[in-house]
């Protein structure tokens, strides 16, 4: 994986760049739709490509390991071929999912033991195994296994957790270096900065991550219960430590406002289930504000969902029709809202990139922040 | 509505024809996808048009009356505009839905009183009101209100029910003649032959229906519990009575085999929820047989869903991937299966038409019957 830093916005840390992978290039900053089990919910692959203009999507190691399983994925020739997606894929390590299993998992020095949420079967994820699984998945960007403490964890726990995550990172990194991709293209391995909300732990973690010299670096353990302000601070405290010539990925973030603030702080890649999950519940994000499509006010609004919207669905269907579909619990409602929201998130990051390149990001961001947080 | 009879298959009653409506033409025989509340479940309108090649879709008067309601539909300029569908629409009268409400409805001479399945509110459907609602919906083909007895109804009940349905038909017809379409195009009104499974009642009903001289005629109250053989017989007993120069619609039928048999007996139009409902449950109909996509046997079958299939999704996704999506309860599974099944049903009726025109229908039907009933 290569990264070319193409522009930096004056007065902010915002950057425009170009990532090159074995499955093509990615213009940053970029939002990455989440396709947990190999499908971005309610969206066809060609819609992701042509309507949403997704440049890269996510898969989840925990979920894909359980279903369809590594044997099937291996025989399919990797996840790209299995799902019919030719552009880049990033896989989360599954750490976050395993740790949210609560009483179904047990932390050990060598890894984390857990029971499947599907059939209760027992499994062990080690830093090495998680690399092996991602080798089989064939993701272009693989993530290290980490322990994910809650955003409100006490310092003593955070300290202990960070040490374990670092030991796991070194093991994962070593295993990554000793193994190779299975399908003829190279896979990057990304460590992630942890440290809960303790600036000194975050900085310590960033030093260690920077020292590895990985092709990309991530920040994990944010947007898990702490305030947005604290999250932004945690992004900033490691900005001077993480190398500027490698892409920076902020995991699991967030609202359109979060996305803008993260870009402002030099983040290049983001992912979140919010556009699809909230979309399925009737919430539409637009450049003019947030629309709750179940609201009565749309019942007789026969204008297009969004005349100047980023996807064809915005002009194909009216607000009144979309509201009706939500009220009547029709699947098409979820399909339309998912495409719209993802297309909006991709528009937002692409537009941020244009503004960065044009030297107008700071002002645009201020204006856009007011728009995207408004309730329509 | 006009109907041009274009060809009749030798040795069978199968026919090819062309219906002309205010929203374009329909080549028959034709299968009509069901869009009960203004959406064919899990399928975008452009997919219906380009992938499924639907020529006409159904809406349901009962459901649309309750949601979004006639006021919204009227202000939208009718159902076509409301949902963004420019081709013809046929609406069922809602009789079938109201009568399946069981203890929530009360039969009266003037109509049927019922409580909404959504909020329990009380409503009355009369033959006239059902015409008015369909005028507001703006469907190209409207259906008369009928009482729908079960396929196993005793003769005395069937007799009484038929008399009521006939009195309602005459009232509905009169009201239809006294009213006009609201949106500048004409709407056809179709009576339907009832009579449960009693040949003499069916014939009597067909005489009355034929005498009306409507632009199209339907057969209702079939595929509601009687055997397929009895259903076929009930189609045949009225064939010589219903005018040959008007399209014949068999309501709510059925499996691919039922479709072939109905076409063989001179039916021109059919509808059924089976392709979408069974599709959502993992059953795929193909010209080579039936596939249960949840079956383990597809887990490592990386070939396309159907190499020679009727829709793009058949080549875009593999059997293994589609199975995985069903097992993982992903919405995309329902989307793919719905498009495939509908496209197959439309292919089946379009191919029947070609065979009728080529004079090869009888042999083709025999071969196809064996294929479509096979389990793969």
């Amino acid at each position: 994986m290569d990264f070319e830093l193409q522009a930096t916005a004056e007065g902010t840390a915002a950057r425009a760049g170009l990532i090159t992978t074995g499955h093509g290039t990615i213009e940053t900053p970029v939002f990455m739709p989440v396709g947990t089990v190999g499908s971005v919910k309610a969206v066809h692959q060609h819609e992701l490509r042509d309507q949403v203009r997704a440049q890269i999507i996510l898969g989840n190691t925990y979920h894909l390991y359980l279903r369809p399983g590594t044997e099937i994925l291996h025989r399919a020739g990797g996840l790209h071929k299995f799902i019919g997606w030719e552009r880049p894929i990033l896989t989360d390590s599954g750490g976050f999912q395993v740790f949210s299993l609560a009483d179904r998992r047990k932390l050990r020095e060598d890894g984390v033991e857990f029971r499947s949420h599907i059939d209760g079967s027992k499994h062990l994820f080690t830093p090495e195994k998680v690399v092996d699984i991602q080798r089989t998945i064939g993701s272009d960007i693989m993530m290290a296994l980490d322990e994910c403490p809650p955003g409100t964890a006490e310092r003593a726990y955070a300290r202990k957790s960070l040490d374990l995550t670092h030991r796991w990172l070194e093991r994962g990194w070593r295993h990554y270096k000793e193994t190779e991709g299975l399908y003829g293209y190279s896979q990057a391995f990304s460590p992630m900065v942890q440290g809960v909300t303790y600036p000194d732990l975050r900085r310590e973690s960033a030093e260690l991550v920077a020292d590895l010299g990985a092709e990309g670096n991530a920040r994990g353990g944010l947007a898990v219960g702490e305030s947005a302000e604290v999250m932004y601070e945690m992004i900033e405290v490691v900005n001077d430590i993480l190398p500027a010539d490698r892409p920076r990925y902020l995991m699991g973030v967030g609202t359109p406002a979060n996305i803008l603030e993260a870009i402002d702080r030099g983040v290049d890649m983001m992912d979140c289930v919010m556009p699809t999950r909230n979309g399925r519940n009737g919430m539409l994000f637009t450049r003019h504000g947030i629309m709750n499509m179940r609201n009565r006010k749309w019942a007789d609004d026969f204008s297009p969902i969004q005349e100047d919207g980023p996807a064809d669905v915005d002009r194909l269907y009216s607000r009144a029709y979309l509201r009706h579909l939500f009220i009547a619990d029709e699947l098409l409602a979820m399909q339309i809202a998912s495409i719209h929201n993802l297309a909006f998130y991709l528009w937002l990051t692409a537009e941020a990139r244009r503004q960065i390149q044009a030297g107008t990001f700071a002002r645009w961001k201020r204006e856009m922040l007011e728009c995207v947080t408004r309730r329509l």
Side-chain angles (χ1 to χ4, degrees), chain A:
Chain A
M1 186 170 83
D2 285 324
F3 180 65
E4 181 197 339
L5 184 58
Q6 299 175 308
T8 306
E10 231 171 290
T12 84
R15 330 137 18 109
L18 189 72
I19 297 171
T20 304
T21 77
H23 287 92
T25 57
I26 304 160
E27 295 184 331
T28 65
V30 69
F31 179 79
M32 306 182 286
V34 179
T36 309
V37 296
S39 155
V40 175
K41 291 187 197 307
V43 183
H44 282 282
Q45 271 71 320
H46 61 86
E47 291 171 330
L48 271 181
R49 190 188 58 216
D50 304 333
Q51 293 286 314
V52 172
R53 298 174 213 280
Q55 303 186 63
I56 171 172
I57 61 172
L58 252 71
N60 186 276
T61 300
Y62 166 78
H63 286 281
L64 291 166
Y65 162 80
L66 293 179
R67 273 191 317 216
T70 48
E71 194 196 322
I72 296 289
L73 287 170
H74 191 206
R75 290 170 63 184
L79 186 62
H80 293 82
K81 288 202 173 139
F82 185 65
I83 72 173
W85 174 253
E86 292 170 358
R87 295 184 180 177
I89 294 176
L90 179 151
T91 37
D92 192 358
S93 69
F96 182 77
Q97 283 66 33
V98 170
F99 285 99
S100 46
L101 291 174
D103 57 336
R104 285 168 162 269
R105 50 89 178 167
K106 207 166 85 187
L107 190 60
R108 309 186 340 195
E109 175 60 31
D110 59 338
V112 53
E113 202 180 273
F114 62 94
R115 287 187 177 279
S116 155
H117 73 284
I118 300 164
D119 62 6
S121 55
K122 206 188 266 188
H123 304 270
L124 176 69
F125 268 9
T126 64
E128 294 83 4
K129 178 153 186 191
V130 159
V131 168
D132 290 337
I133 299 170
Q134 292 178 96
R135 287 289 193 199
T136 307
I137 291 172
S139 46
D140 299 278
I141 306 174
M142 314 191 288
M143 302 301 297
L145 182 67
D146 58 334
E147 199 211 329
C148 298
T152 52
E154 301 271 322
R155 188 184 166 86
Y157 174 21
R159 165 85 265 167
K160 213 178 124 193
S161 165
L162 187 62
D163 289 341
L164 180 68
T165 288
H166 286 168
R167 289 194 298 275
W168 282 3
L169 175 56
E170 278 162 12
R171 283 169 51 194
W173 179 255
R174 202 177 315 126
H175 193 67
Y176 165 68
K177 285 293 188 187
E178 290 164 3
T179 54
E180 279 192 352
L182 307 179
Y183 311 114
Y185 52 85
S186 72
Q187 299 176 271
F189 179 84
S190 174
M192 63 194 80
V193 174
Q194 288 284 3
V196 196
T197 54
Y198 302 98
D200 58 327
L201 296 186
R202 284 268 159 194
R203 276 191 288 260
E204 178 190 324
S205 184
E207 299 279 3
L208 191 138
V209 160
D211 281 352
L212 274 189
E215 293 165 290
N217 299 301
R219 286 172 253 210
L222 293 173
V224 287
E226 80 286 2
S227 73
E229 282 317 309
V230 168
M231 175 174 82
Y232 299 147
E233 191 197 331
M234 290 307 111
I235 297 172
E236 284 170 4
V237 294
V238 299
N239 251 359
D240 295 337
I241 304 171
L242 290 181
D245 62 349
R246 305 290 156 92
R248 298 158 171 175
Y249 166 30
L250 178 62
M251 305 177 75
V253 173
T255 64
N258 293 154
I259 299 276
L260 290 171
E261 295 293 2
I263 292 171
D264 196 13
R265 287 160 178 81
V267 168
D268 306 301
M269 307 162 77
M270 290 137 288
D271 78 284
C272 194
V273 295
M274 192 174 273
T276 39
R277 181 176 294 167
N278 292 26
R280 291 199 302 280
N281 289 324
M283 183 185 277
L284 250 58
F285 298 101
T286 79
R287 59 183 291 182
H288 309 293
I290 296 166
M291 298 165 80
N292 175 0
M293 293 313 302
R294 295 181 168 275
N295 198 307
R296 207 158 183 26
K297 72 192 289 188
W298 311 119
D300 58 355
D301 184 341
F302 302 111
S303 59
I305 295 173
Q306 191 189 343
E307 185 65 58
D308 61 352
D312 284 356
V313 292
D314 291 320
R315 281 162 296 277
L316 284 174
Y317 304 107
S318 72
R319 295 166 175 187
Y321 181 52
L322 182 55
R323 176 190 187 260
H324 165 66
L325 293 176
F326 271 112
I327 297 298
D329 274 333
E330 285 292 303
L331 290 167
L332 187 58
M334 299 198 271
Q335 298 170 239
I336 295 171
S338 299
I339 291 177
H340 165 86
N341 277 351
L342 288 174
F344 168 66
Y345 268 64
L346 265 294
W347 173 85
L348 190 68
T349 51
E351 183 62 22
R353 175 182 161 86
R354 280 187 289 273
Q355 300 285 346
I356 292 165
Q357 289 179 316
T360 49
F361 175 77
R363 205 184 71 190
W364 172 81
K365 182 208 129 186
R366 268 196 310 277
E367 290 166 4
M368 193 48 61
L369 260 185
E370 272 184 42
C371 296
V372 296
T373 48
R374 202 181 285 151
R375 290 263 163 185
L376 294 179

